[in-house]
Amino acid sequence: MRIQLKALADQVMVITGATSGIGLATARMAARRRARLVLVARNESALRLICDDLNMLGAETMHVAADVANEADVQRVADAAIERFGGFDSWLNIAGVGIFGKSEAVPAEDMRRLFDVNFWGVVHGSMIAARHLKKHGGALINMGSETSDRAVPLLGIYSASKHAVKGFTDSLRTELEEEGAPVSVTLVKPASVDTMFVAHAKNYMEVEPQLPPPVYAPDVAADALLYAAEHPMRDVYVGSRARLSGTGAHLMPRLLDKGMERFMIPMMKTDRPPRDRDDNNLYSSSTDLMERAGAGSNPPREFSVYTSAVTHPRTTGAVMVGAGLALAALLQMRRQRTQQ
């Protein structure tokens, strides 16, 4: 069945995790493109400020304070969207939390909480959204990670949750396709993104952690998410490293193990002492209203050639042709100067 998705300007979009990082960047980008928005996060005061700012710029938004780990909260989100806008066309499960540290150091209670948010939050959102989208059509977009394909040391339980999200999303997609449901199901898998992820994560390491390079700007991920809201896609990798990591996990897993042991673990450690372990958002919301944390020694890339080539092939092709013509002209000029 060929699935037709609406243009963003004609869509009502539900975005979880909307008060920081990729969720906030996506909300702002979608608002600029005139989508009507239902913004979801735990921090109601931050949600209210974001909605006020976007509405002042001409957007039409509403917010629902909710913990995606709670199924009843997620159902309230859907009910509010239906009451205000008559329904929704895209549902983006972006909310997530992180824990750094060796698996043996992380208490089971924290592991369960992370799964409640990262996995069960996606399950709750997906199942509730699917009931509506099966009748009306639209896009379900789940936030995975490069760790959906390849686990990363010192992010063991986070990697496990993203593996689980991939398994659930792939299965749900197949089931909906078999039914002939008019629902596009996409898994978005970013590499490192300069968000508040590290600042919000609970840390059991002996030093302050950092994300391995290359690190991408949140807008790169936001653009990929919004492309998937308009164009049915199975998977979208954000950043070439995410694609290479997934390929390497299938073709040479043991070699990748050794590479991570030697290079990845040191790259994820800073020389700074760890902050207070209670300074995190695992159980409650903390610092919000920020898209970026600042990548320190790894300044973010504002553009991914790979992701752009996948999501905007015509534009990227035109840029590459233009670059090729410019290079050819430059070489011709140098050749002429040499002959003179």
Side-chain angles (χ1 to χ4, degrees):
M1 178 179 182
R2 184 172 176 82
I3 298 171
Q4 296 288 338
L5 300 177
K6 297 178 181 177
L8 282 182
D10 298 322
Q11 287 200 30
V12 174
M13 181 174 290
V14 177
I15 302 175
T16 73
T19 53
S20 70
I22 294 173
L24 179 55
T26 303
R28 287 171 170 163
M29 189 178 292
R32 290 195 295 271
R33 295 175 62 178
R34 299 306 179 194
R36 291 172 290 171
L37 303 177
V38 182
L39 304 184
V40 184
R42 291 174 291 178
N43 190 333
E44 185 163 18
S45 61
L47 283 170
R48 187 176 295 110
L49 287 171
I50 294 166
C51 284
D52 288 346
D53 287 346
L54 296 180
N55 289 337
M56 287 179 62
L57 296 174
E60 187 176 358
T61 70
M62 63 171 290
H63 70 271
V64 182
D67 184 345
V68 297
N70 186 320
E71 185 177 8
D73 277 12
V74 180
Q75 184 62 59
R76 283 196 301 104
V77 173
D79 293 343
I82 293 169
E83 181 179 355
R84 171 72 179 273
F85 295 117
F88 49 86
D89 304 288
S90 292
W91 184 295
L92 283 62
N93 287 308
I94 301 177
V97 292
I99 299 175
F100 284 89
K102 290 187 175 181
S103 297
E104 291 178 304
V106 180
E109 179 184 11
D110 286 353
M111 290 185 176
R112 291 191 183 98
R113 171 58 185 172
L114 182 144
F115 250 79
D116 283 344
V117 177
N118 289 11
F119 176 67
W120 286 109
V122 169
V123 172
H124 298 329
S126 297
M127 301 311 295
I128 290 169
R131 287 198 288 268
H132 178 83
L133 295 174
K134 284 171 66 174
K135 299 176 182 177
H136 304 280
L140 171 64
I141 304 169
N142 290 339
M143 180 59 74
S145 164
E146 65 177 330
T147 65
S148 296
D149 294 327
R150 167 66 217 196
V152 172
L154 305 179
L155 282 171
I157 195 62
Y158 177 83
S159 298
S161 73
K162 294 302 183 178
H163 268 58
V165 166
K166 179 183 184 300
F168 169 77
T169 303
D170 289 348
S171 178
L172 178 62
R173 180 190 303 109
T174 305
E175 292 163 2
L176 292 173
E177 287 179 351
E178 190 275 333
E179 292 178 24
V183 184
S184 171
V185 180
T186 303
L187 183 65
V188 178
K189 295 185 274 192
S192 300
V193 180
D194 179 23
T195 67
M196 299 299 291
F197 177 79
V198 173
H200 284 170
K202 195 165 187 178
N203 180 26
Y204 284 93
M205 292 167 55
E206 71 281 2
V207 294
E208 189 68 10
Q210 64 181 0
L211 296 175
V215 179
Y216 294 89
D219 280 357
V220 180
D223 185 65
L225 286 157
L226 295 184
Y227 184 87
E230 292 183 304
H231 304 85
M233 300 186 72
R234 186 183 192 277
D235 302 281
V236 183
Y237 291 89
V238 179
S240 57
R241 194 191 73 206
R243 187 70 181 95
L244 291 171
S245 179
T247 301
H250 290 287
L251 298 181
M252 44 186 177
R254 192 60 182 140
L255 182 61
L256 209 56
D257 286 347
K258 293 301 181 181
M260 288 194 171
E261 291 168 17
R262 183 171 181 180
F263 301 109
M264 180 70 79
I265 291 177
M267 284 193 297
M268 294 176 67
K269 296 181 178 181
T270 70
D271 56 4
R272 303 190 305 274
R275 66 187 184 279
D276 189 331
R277 186 168 293 161
D278 292 332
D279 182 11
N280 65 80
N281 77 339
L282 187 60
Y283 294 94
S284 61
S285 59
S286 56
T287 306
D288 282 313
L289 301 174
M290 295 177 64
E291 292 182 18
R292 307 186 185 203
S297 59
N298 298 319
R301 299 182 181 184
E302 302 295 329
F303 183 77
S304 167
V305 173
Y306 170 81
T307 304
S308 182
V310 171
T311 57
H312 303 288
R314 292 182 180 178
T315 302
T316 304
V319 170
M320 297 300 288
V321 169
L325 292 173
L327 179 60
L330 179 61
L331 292 174
Q332 180 65 22
M333 290 173 60
R334 288 184 175 179
R335 193 176 298 114
Q336 291 172 350
R337 289 176 181 174
T338 303
Q339 294 172 350
Q340 291 174 354

